[in-house]
Amino acid sequence: LKESVADFVLTKSDAHHIVKTSSCASLRQRLRSAFADCKQAWIPQDVLNVDGLSEEDAFVFHAEDMVLSPGNLKATLQHSRYNIAPAVKQAAPSFFRCAVVNATDDETPAHAVAKLSEELGGRPDMIFAYSGEAQWLREVAPSLGTAGFSAIGCSSCAGVLIGQQYAKNGASLFGLRDPAGTYIVKHCAPASPDNYGSWRIAGANAARAARAQATSCRTAPSAIFLHSSAGFEEAALLGIHDIFP
């Protein structure tokens, strides 16, 4: 598009006709540029063998005929001698979904996880658990571990936010469903809980352990989530930065 006006538009869809507006004077040059772009795709050589013409000229002249032809070019395109296919296979569309559920009144942790799975349309690949009471987390943590979930969470003395609701002593589960992703959770306790340097070492050890497990990942993580005892977050972040600068 140039200034919101199409120079020309082509489609091979059976459901649509060719849409063609006034072409610019430099049509052939634009088609030559298009051919250069198409060189990054595979073009069968047997269908481009035109006597006396180079591949580029054959492409440009044939495309120009289609652009300048009057009327409906649907049949012309369907019998086109060019078949351009990507050289690299297109990746399957990724699937990502997130959801949060109120787990405050659930009788068991399993019931809360079941609600979350229903919202996600399948088993969560990562679970974040939050509660205004540490006891709830003590109860839910073993069941999440036994079920093999990657999970992280913390308690909050000020309560939790669940969607648009605030609960002073509530609990919530936030889940991610991302089959194509890699989610790893590592924990490391500091040797001296009151020592700033110990928290930096703990952060580095946890990050190092996560990196060692993520053998399938060739790049740095897209995101890192940290929960640390209050007052030592910066030290733990420094330790993580030592491993993932």
Side-chain angles (χ1 to χ4, degrees), residues 97-148:
R97 183 174 294 175
C98 60
V100 62
V101 296
N102 188 341
T104 304
D105 299 321
D106 289 320
E107 296 181 358
T108 65
H111 184 236
V113 173
K115 288 198 306 183
L116 181 62
S117 299
E118 183 178 356
E119 290 292 328
L120 292 172
R123 177 184 171 88
D125 294 291
M126 181 68 192
I127 294 178
F128 299 80
Y130 300 100
S131 174
E133 297 180 349
Q135 181 59 35
W136 184 86
L137 291 174
R138 294 191 186 98
E139 296 173 357
V140 74
S143 62
L144 294 178
T146 302

Side-chain angles (χ1 to χ4, degrees), residues 123-187:
R123 177 184 171 88
D125 294 291
M126 181 68 192
I127 294 178
F128 299 80
Y130 300 100
S131 174
E133 297 180 349
Q135 181 59 35
W136 184 86
L137 291 174
R138 294 191 186 98
E139 296 173 357
V140 74
S143 62
L144 294 178
T146 302
F149 290 110
S150 292
I152 190 174
C154 71
S155 60
S156 171
C157 63
V160 296
L161 181 67
I162 308 168
Q164 298 179 348
Q165 298 178 341
Y166 166 78
K168 171 65 176 178
N169 297 315
S172 67
L173 291 182
F174 174 70
L176 302 177
R177 187 181 175 203
D178 179 22
T182 299
Y183 296 88
I184 296 172
V185 177
K186 292 297 178 181
H187 168 263

Side-chain angles (χ1 to χ4, degrees), residues 17-37:
H17 292 227
I18 291 298
V19 179
K20 179 170 65 69
T21 64
S22 298
S23 57
C24 61
S26 58
L27 172 59
R28 287 190 179 181
Q29 185 57 46
R30 291 169 61 86
L31 290 174
R32 292 187 188 280
S33 296
F35 175 81
D37 293 337

Side-chain angles (χ1 to χ4, degrees), residues 28 32 35 48 50 52-64 81-82:
R28 287 190 179 181
R32 292 187 188 280
F35 175 81
L48 288 177
V50 180
L53 293 179
S54 65
E55 288 185 42
E56 180 177 340
D57 286 341
F59 175 89
V60 170
F61 294 157
H62 185 65
E64 186 180 45
R81 55 176 173 244
Y82 295 104

